[in-house]
């Protein structure tokens, strides 16, 4: 470890305008300031989240990339919703697709995104989703959105029964998810 660094602070009580040089008070920093090589060695720059536990409380700090990615995904969903609301406006849908994919990449990381979209068992969903994005960018918004929805259902279909099971306990909409027809619909995805 490096030796602790100190910071010089001027004491306002000892500061006199007639003095040429004020008398500084030495103050030791409790935590030494890390240098860039230290940060690169400890891999703190590239860490997505950091968890600290103190007295039965767990605090998770989220990195700036994850925060920005979540915001971009929200904007992507907003533009996709507006694009559908305005009768499949291809410009809004294309902007929503780009923002969603950028946000997803920033939220979960480049490596995980590439690993998720390169699995052979999900090839049909991946091709349908990216084919839909390409169709939206080529100004075929209705067919492109149908392909994207099919791709998303194929990619995330295993997650729907889990989400429906957890939504059964929600006070207002839980009754809808406990209905036998809805339960049968979501159990067909598993």
């Amino acid at each position: 470890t490096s030796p602790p660094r100190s910071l010089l602070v001027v004491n306002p009580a000892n500061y006199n305008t007639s003095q040429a040089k004020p008398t500084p008070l030495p103050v030791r920093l409790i935590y030494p300031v890390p240098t860039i090589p230290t940060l690169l060695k400890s891999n703190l720059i590239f860490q997505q989240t950091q968890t600290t536990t103190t007295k039965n409380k767990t605090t998770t700090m989220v990195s700036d990339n994850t925060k920005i990615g979540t915001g971009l995904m929200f904007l992507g969903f907003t533009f996709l919703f507006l694009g559908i609301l305005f009768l499949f406006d291809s410009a809004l849908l294309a902007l929503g697709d780009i923002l969603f994919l950028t946000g997803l990449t920033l939220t979960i990381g480049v490596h995980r995104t590439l690993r998720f979209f390169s699995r052979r068992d999900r090839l049909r969903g991946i091709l349908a989703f990216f084919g839909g994005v390409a169709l939206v960018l080529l100004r075929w918004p209705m067919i492109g959105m149908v392909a994207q929805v099919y791709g998303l259902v194929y990619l995330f279909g295993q997650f729907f029964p889990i989400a429906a099971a957890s939504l059964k306990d929600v006070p207002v909409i839980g009754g809808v998810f406990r209905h036998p027809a809805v339960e049968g619909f979501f159990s067909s995805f598993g």
Side-chain angles (χ1 to χ4, degrees), residues 121-137:
D121 60 329
R122 298 180 180 170
L123 190 61
R124 183 186 305 175
I126 294 166
L127 290 177
F129 178 74
F130 283 112
V133 170
L135 286 173
V136 167
L137 291 174

Side-chain angles (χ1 to χ4, degrees), residues 12-136:
N14 293 344
Y15 186 74
N16 188 355
T17 54
S18 64
Q19 286 181 335
K21 188 175 180 185
T23 56
L25 292 175
V27 176
R28 280 190 64 193
L29 294 176
I30 296 173
Y31 300 106
V33 180
T35 59
I36 297 296
T38 307
L39 287 175
L40 290 175
K41 279 186 210 171
S42 63
N43 204 14
L44 287 176
I45 291 178
F46 304 108
Q47 195 171 15
Q48 290 269 337
T49 59
Q50 182 179 2
T51 305
T52 57
T53 306
T54 57
K55 284 197 177 182
N56 300 331
K57 286 186 179 181
T58 301
T59 306
T60 302
M61 294 183 290
V62 181
S63 74
D64 289 339
N65 283 347
T66 305
K67 292 176 189 175
I68 293 169
T70 305
L72 288 176
M73 283 178 62
F74 175 75
L75 281 175
F77 282 127
T78 303
F79 278 108
L80 285 171
F81 175 74
L82 289 174
I84 291 171
L85 189 69
F86 292 133
L87 302 176
F88 292 95
D89 182 29
S90 60
L92 289 174
L93 292 173
L95 188 59
D97 285 338
I98 292 169
L99 286 173
F100 172 74
L101 289 173
T102 305
L104 180 69
T105 304
L106 283 175
T107 301
I108 66 173
V110 177
H111 180 70
R112 286 183 182 172
T113 304
L114 289 176
R115 193 172 59 200
F116 179 77
F117 284 115
S118 63
R119 292 183 54 180
R120 290 204 181 268
D121 60 329
R122 298 180 180 170
L123 190 61
R124 183 186 305 175
I126 294 166
L127 290 177
F129 178 74
F130 283 112
V133 170
L135 286 173
V136 167

Side-chain angles (χ1 to χ4, degrees), residues 122-130 132 143-157 160 189:
R122 298 180 180 170
L123 190 61
R124 183 186 305 175
I126 294 166
L127 290 177
F129 178 74
F130 283 112
I143 299 170
M145 285 306 294
V146 169
Q148 281 184 24
V149 168
Y150 174 76
L152 285 176
V153 167
Y154 194 85
L155 287 172
F156 298 106
F160 292 152
F189 285 105

